Amino acid sequence: MRPTAATPTAATLIALTLAATALTACGNGSGSSPNTLKVSFKQSTDNSIKVMDTYLADMKKEFEKKYPGKKVELVPIKAPDSEYYTKLQQMLRSPRTAPDLVYEDTFLINSDITSGYLKPLDPYLAKWPDWQQFIDTAKNAAKGEDGKTYGVPDGTDTRGLWFDKRVFRQAGLPTTWQPKTWDDILSAARIIKKKVPGVTPPQRLHRQAGG
């Protein structure tokens, strides 16, 4: 899950990482030129969705205009989530194929740190004024277990918990139900399972954004 945060300008974000010529977010380093920044990202399997492509293309254009002689090489990986992360792991294993920057969910950070794939960004974030705009929750989401920061969050998921008031009435539960813990949720689920035959609580519904 990516935490909510103020989003810096595209060129600034890349400039932060390329401030020192060979600085990379990936621990193994990449096989690209010191003046070229390779950025791997997940490209949608739906050809009509170009949000990330457009965003990074604008970032590339803005950065190269601001820093003559520096280049951004976009490395799209067109695959579903599971295949994307598999391909990314394969790329990160070798300095020849490892990108300088990668897009990945924050839950992968610690495993990639343990594997030696990532480098901390703290020295550069300390010099970046926009980092102070990020809320603590966002900053902490990109931290490793060692307390160092390895990524810059740029968005988040939104998750909701829905319940059917009719089912709650049948189970004798309040229709103004507002759980505060997982135990509250599990307790309600057990009551519903016992008192309302044919209902299977809880159910996880997943729908892709825009789908």
Side-chain angles (χ1 to χ4, degrees), residues 122-142:
D122 301 84
Y124 310 99
L125 293 172
K127 301 174 184 177
W128 185 36
D130 286 355
W131 186 236
Q132 301 309 312
Q133 297 180 30
F134 286 66
I135 61 176
D136 289 340
T137 304
K139 292 180 179 180
N140 291 335

Side-chain angles (χ1 to χ4, degrees), residues 9-27:
T9 60
T12 305
L13 184 58
I14 288 189
L16 169 70
T17 312
L18 199 62
T21 307
L23 174 66
T24 66
C26 296

Side-chain angles (χ1 to χ4, degrees), residues 66-77:
K66 188 172 182 178
Y67 299 95
K70 305 294 184 182
K71 298 294 181 183
V72 176
E73 179 184 345
L74 301 179
V75 186
I77 300 176

Side-chain angles (χ1 to χ4, degrees), residues 23-149:
L23 174 66
T24 66
C26 296
N28 288 333
S30 77
S32 59
S33 160
N35 290 318
T36 300
L37 186 74
K38 292 172 64 176
V39 182
S40 288
F41 68 99
K42 180 181 177 297
Q43 189 176 56
S44 175
T45 54
D46 184 340
N47 291 327
S48 66
I49 299 177
K50 300 290 185 181
V51 177
M52 184 60 73
D53 302 71
T54 302
Y55 172 67
L56 290 177
D58 289 344
M59 179 186 291
K60 169 182 167 69
K61 182 178 179 180
E62 186 178 344
F63 178 81
E64 292 179 350
K65 180 180 179 180
K66 188 172 182 178
Y67 299 95
K70 305 294 184 182
K71 298 294 181 183
V72 176
E73 179 184 345
L74 301 179
V75 186
I77 300 176
K78 193 169 187 175
D81 282 348
S82 58
E83 293 180 22
Y84 169 70
Y85 292 122
T86 298
K87 292 181 179 180
L88 197 57
Q89 293 298 310
Q90 292 171 344
M91 292 173 67
L92 291 172
R93 289 172 186 165
S94 169
R96 291 189 305 103
T97 57
D100 298 302
L101 289 175
V102 297
Y103 263 95
E104 65 177 27
D105 275 323
T106 51
F107 74 87
L108 292 170
I109 283 182
N110 279 299
S111 61
D112 282 350
I113 294 169
T114 302
S115 299
Y117 295 153
L118 303 180
K119 283 187 175 181
L121 298 174
D122 301 84
Y124 310 99
L125 293 172
K127 301 174 184 177
W128 185 36
D130 286 355
W131 186 236
Q132 301 309 312
Q133 297 180 30
F134 286 66
I135 61 176
D136 289 340
T137 304
K139 292 180 179 180
N140 291 335
K143 280 186 177 180
E145 293 177 353
D146 58 4
K148 297 177 182 178
T149 303

Side-chain angles (χ1 to χ4, degrees), residues 145-159:
E145 293 177 353
D146 58 4
K148 297 177 182 178
T149 303
Y150 290 83
V152 177
D154 74 342
T156 187
D157 298 308
T158 300
R159 305 296 171 93

